[in-house]
Amino acid sequence: MVSLICTLQDHRDDVNWCAFSPTQLATCSADKTVRIYNTQDFSEVPYSPLSGHGYGVHCCCFSACGQYLASCSTDGSTVVWSTDTGEIEAVLEHPGRNPVRVCAFSPDSSHLVSGASDGTLGLWDFPTKTLHRTGAVNDTTMVACSFTPCGQMFVTGSTYGDLRLWDLDMNQLHVEKNTHDLGVTCCCFGPKILSGSGWVQFRLASCGQDSTLKIWTVSRSNTGSCKMQLLHTLTGQSAPVLSCAFSADGQLLVSGSVDKTVTVYDASQGALLYTLNQHERYVTACAFSPSTPLIATGSMDKTVNIWRVEDGHSGHEGKSLPVETATFSCEGRKLLGHSRLLVSDWSEEDVGAWLCEEGLQALVENFKANNIDGAELVSLTKETLASELNIESVGLRSKVLRKVEELKAGCVCTGVPDEYLCPITRELMKDPVIAADGYSYEREAIESWIATKNRSSPMTNLPLQTTLLTPNRTLKMAIGRWRTSQ
């Protein structure tokens, strides 16, 4: 059976990805952060959250040993973090600086692949953190990638609906077109390698906008020819399937869907074992632990559920299971009681009260002497903390900035109507403008985007026909009325 043991509620926006190492769980979100938890009790590690990205984080993955974590973002970068300290080890700028949608390590961590919204791929030599090869598929967005368990090939999936097999020299070995109508959303290789006389074979799972989860065999002969063969088409979910993952032994396959369900299948037989109904919105991410019988699922409801898979699953085929009471809870941080919704509206006294509640009492007089109110607080940088506020301790400066980022993320994503948030920054708009794609953005954010992102739409990835921005006065007045009512 499968039972819910914990719900993590720390993210302040959609959860986009979950990844396990043998000892940690990483989750990433549209709130621009990556959070890391110990899998022993699912307490958050001291240096979490990681706040190095300027925009939402789409994907994260651990190296095989768990020493490194990679995360990629709309900001056009893949950041490599140390899981011992939470420090940034490297920032890998994707070719063309387009939004990076997916990243994956090879099983031996010798390579890291990243895929972007313009269809480009970057294959990185991980030990040296240098770009090894590039590739591209025109007129599509790369949204999925996974290495074979041997590490010599990888597969990519795109919004075109095709699956492509590549070698480490970025040669396309095979293209399977129209695998999912309206696009692939995720793909992953199983852990097993099957071999015979003159060939080697792998299992691959893929899911897509056509509401199906498919299991394939991927074969390569000694002569180098490759082929894919469909084994199972699984239809246990009634809406687009957004994520999938094999268990560490390859026996189980989990998927998450727009219909808010999590399904668990017998991967060998393609038989539905469980349907889990606990998330309140789309299930966007799922992952199996490599060392314990645990599943993590992430959702647009901003939560991550941790499930335990018990032995004897084969006796419950296709059942929709009631959720067991959690054996312990991991409550998300709550916003401070004295806080107004918008930090920028805080007075100097509010800032002082917040410092006290965060255990930073020693800084109250310093902040007061420098007239730090809410607007100044959210604008603080490491440089201003050091040069203007004379905070010498590097650790203390980092702690202040981390607390400020948590505060900003928590405040802007709690109770604010989604149409008032800029799609790029996910923050409340002050000067909304309409771009050529018909969407409204914060002026500064879309101007910066246009200057650095090859004039593509942040929402559709299509070229903007013009860079003209029109003030959205109606929306600005609506936001003003809403702020006054809070």
Side-chain angles (χ1 to χ4, degrees):
M1 64 179 298
V2 179
S3 56
L4 179 67
I5 63 170
C6 182
T7 297
L8 309 174
Q9 299 174 313
D10 294 302
H11 282 298
R12 300 303 180 185
D13 210 329
D14 303 349
V15 177
N16 291 329
W17 207 272
C18 301
F20 276 104
S21 75
T23 60
Q24 293 180 322
L25 168 70
T27 63
C28 63
S29 168
D31 66 10
K32 312 178 196 175
T33 69
V34 180
R35 292 182 179 271
I36 302 182
Y37 303 86
N38 293 309
T39 54
Q40 185 174 6
D41 59 2
F42 289 97
S43 60
E44 198 164 6
V45 300
Y47 56 76
S48 180
L50 307 178
S51 303
H53 287 291
Y55 297 113
V57 187
H58 293 291
C59 179
C60 59
C61 56
F62 283 100
S63 61
C65 63
Q67 184 179 357
Y68 300 102
L69 177 74
S71 60
C72 60
S73 165
T74 301
D75 63 17
S77 70
T78 301
V79 177
V80 179
W81 312 83
S82 165
T83 57
D84 292 328
T85 64
E87 295 295 321
I88 293 176
E89 295 285 329
V91 178
L92 311 179
E93 302 289 356
H94 194 84
R97 290 301 306 274
N98 280 279
V100 185
R101 295 293 302 276
V102 67
C103 59
F105 275 105
S106 62
D108 62 358
S109 301
S110 61
H111 292 92
L112 176 70
V113 65
S114 58
S117 63
D118 63 347
T120 58
L121 291 166
L123 184 63
W124 304 85
D125 179 83
F126 187 69
T128 62
K129 311 297 190 297
T130 57
L131 188 62
H132 175 63
R133 291 281 192 277
T134 60
V137 180
N138 295 329
D139 302 320
T140 190
T141 294
M142 289 294 177
V143 293
C145 64
S146 178
F147 275 91
T148 57
C150 67
Q152 298 304 303
M153 299 179 291
F154 63 93
V155 71
T156 60
S158 74
T159 53
Y160 235 25
D162 58 349
L163 291 168
R164 296 172 185 261
L165 189 66
W166 309 72
D167 65 17
L168 298 183
D169 290 321
M170 296 300 286
N171 299 309
Q172 289 191 41
L173 305 177
H174 180 77
V175 180
E176 194 75 18
K177 295 186 176 181
N178 304 314
T179 59
H180 291 277
D181 190 24
L182 302 179
V184 175
T185 53
C186 187
C187 64
C188 63
F189 275 103
K192 293 183 178 180
I193 303 175
L194 304 176
S195 59
S197 178
W199 57 270
V200 63
Q201 191 177 88
F202 314 95
R203 291 290 172 91
L204 174 72
S206 67
C207 54
Q209 298 288 349
D210 58 0
S211 306
T212 66
L213 174 64
K214 296 182 179 182
I215 301 177
W216 311 77
T217 58
V218 179
S219 305
R220 186 176 189 184
S221 69
N222 287 347
T223 61
S225 64
C226 297
K227 67 177 182 179
M228 288 179 60
Q229 182 178 356
L230 181 62
L231 289 181
H232 303 289
T233 298
L234 310 178
T235 57
Q237 290 165 306
S238 60
V241 184
L242 303 180
S243 56
C244 60
F246 278 101
S247 60
D249 60 5
Q251 296 300 306
L252 297 177
L253 181 63
V254 64
S255 63
S257 170
V258 168
D259 68 8
K260 309 176 189 176
T261 67
V262 176
T263 53
V264 182
Y265 295 90
D266 180 313
S268 299
Q269 303 299 320
L272 177 62
L273 302 175
Y274 307 113
T275 299
L276 310 175
N277 300 278
Q278 184 68 7
H279 285 292
E280 297 178 358
R281 296 191 66 192
Y282 302 172
V283 182
T284 52
C286 57
F288 271 99
S289 167
S291 57
T292 55
L294 297 175
I295 300 172
T297 59
S299 168
M300 290 178 68
D301 63 14
K302 309 174 189 177
T303 70
V304 176
N305 284 333
I306 310 299
W307 311 82
R308 183 179 300 280
V309 182
E310 307 293 349
D311 291 335
H313 61 265
S314 58
H316 300 274
E317 293 188 4
K319 288 189 177 181
S320 181
L321 297 177
V323 179
E324 291 194 353
T325 304
T327 55
F328 55 89
S329 69
C330 300
E331 294 295 329
R333 295 182 178 88
K334 292 184 169 34
L335 294 178
L336 305 174
H338 68 270
S339 302
R340 300 170 194 161
L341 185 60
L342 299 177
V343 182
S344 57
D345 289 337
W346 282 11
S347 65
E348 294 176 21
E349 289 72 24
D350 288 329
V351 172
W354 173 77
L355 287 170
C356 291
E357 294 198 32
E358 293 294 342
L360 299 169
Q361 296 93 329
L363 297 178
V364 172
E365 291 304 319
N366 190 0
F367 274 52
K368 188 174 182 179
N370 285 275
N371 304 113
I372 304 297
D373 58 12
E376 293 290 334
L377 180 68
V378 297
S379 301
L380 290 176
T381 65
K382 285 186 178 181
E383 290 71 25
T384 56
L385 288 173
S387 62
E388 297 179 22
L389 297 181
N390 299 314
I391 299 176
E392 297 180 359
S393 168
V394 175
L396 185 55
R397 292 200 299 267
S398 297
K399 182 177 181 180
V400 171
L401 291 177
R402 187 168 67 247
K403 294 293 185 181
V404 169
E405 287 302 315
E406 289 180 15
L407 184 64
K408 289 161 63 178
C411 287
V412 301
C413 295
T414 303
V416 182
D418 195 65
E419 60 269 26
Y420 296 169
L421 300 177
C422 172
I424 298 174
T425 65
R426 299 299 297 170
E427 296 177 358
L428 188 67
M429 288 184 278
K430 297 179 181 178
D431 185 13
V433 294
I434 304 172
D437 59 3
Y439 291 92
S440 292
Y441 306 91
E442 177 63 32
R443 180 184 293 276
E444 183 178 353
I446 189 63
E447 287 179 343
S448 175
W449 179 281
I450 290 172
T452 59
K453 305 293 179 182
N454 298 324
R455 298 187 178 181
S456 62
S457 164
M459 299 298 286
T460 68
N461 295 319
L462 298 175
L464 293 171
Q465 298 303 311
T466 175
T467 58
L468 180 66
L469 303 174
T470 304
N472 192 337
R473 295 185 176 86
T474 301
L475 180 58
K476 186 174 183 178
M477 286 189 293
I479 293 172
R481 288 194 297 270
W482 178 84
R483 290 184 59 170
T484 303
S485 67
Q486 299 305 302

